[in-house]
Structures are given as C-alpha cells and as structure tokens.
Amino acid sequence: MGNMLRKLSRLFVIKTKIEAYLIIFALAVGAMERGKGYLNEYPGTGGWLLFWACSGSVMLAGAKILDALRYEREARRHSNLPGRNGQ
C-alpha cells in the first residue's frame, strides 16, 4: 500500500521544465477566464484591476515554479544524489 501511494504521489511532482510550462499555461488559462468574469461582474476600472491582478499572479507563480526547479536541480547536483530524495 505504501509503495502504491509513493508512486501515486510522484504523479503530482513537477520534474521537468516542460511539465512546469504546461502547468503555468493551465494556470494562465484559468486566471484569464477568471479575469473575464471579473470584467463582467465589475465593469470599469475595478474589473480591469482585478483582471490584471489575475494575470500578475500567474506570472509570479510561474517564476516561482521555474526557480524551484532550478534550485532542486542544483541541490541534486551538489549533493551527489542519483534522484529526488535519494531514490
């Protein structure tokens, strides 16, 4: 049972830049859809501010995801571990 859960949990780990870009793209699509909803709900300046806040949050999250990948890659390289968590 523990081995099965470990394998299942590995599906939710971002391992490559391509996976990161796909997740960032999905976040962006969702944020823009939410931003469109804000434009309909709050016409005018308030709606546009919320729309751009949605866009900015994806940019910040994407940068953080890519930085985390780079940090993990460097940590693995310097620790001489063969893979994630020494596996």
Side-chain angles (χ1 to χ4, degrees):
M1 183 70 173
N3 191 24
M4 176 89 75
L5 288 175
R6 189 174 324 122
K7 286 182 180 180
L8 183 64
S9 69
R10 288 185 55 183
L11 291 173
F12 299 100
V13 176
I14 303 170
K15 299 176 210 78
T16 65
K17 278 191 176 183
I18 292 173
E19 291 172 352
Y21 288 132
L22 289 172
I23 289 171
I24 293 166
F25 177 75
L27 288 172
V29 169
M32 293 299 97
E33 190 63 32
R34 182 65 245 158
K36 282 181 7 185
Y38 283 139
L39 288 174
N40 289 333
E41 186 75 24
Y42 306 106
T45 306
W48 280 106
L49 289 173
L50 290 169
F51 178 86
W52 290 112
C54 290
S55 172
S57 65
V58 172
M59 291 181 208
L60 292 173
K64 196 62 155 172
I65 290 169
L66 293 173
D67 283 346
L69 280 176
R70 186 176 359 176
Y71 172 77
E72 287 179 354
R73 185 175 49 243
E74 291 295 322
R76 268 194 308 253
R77 186 183 320 162
H78 292 308
S79 67
N80 296 324
L81 294 178
R84 182 177 287 272
N85 297 329
Q87 297 175 355

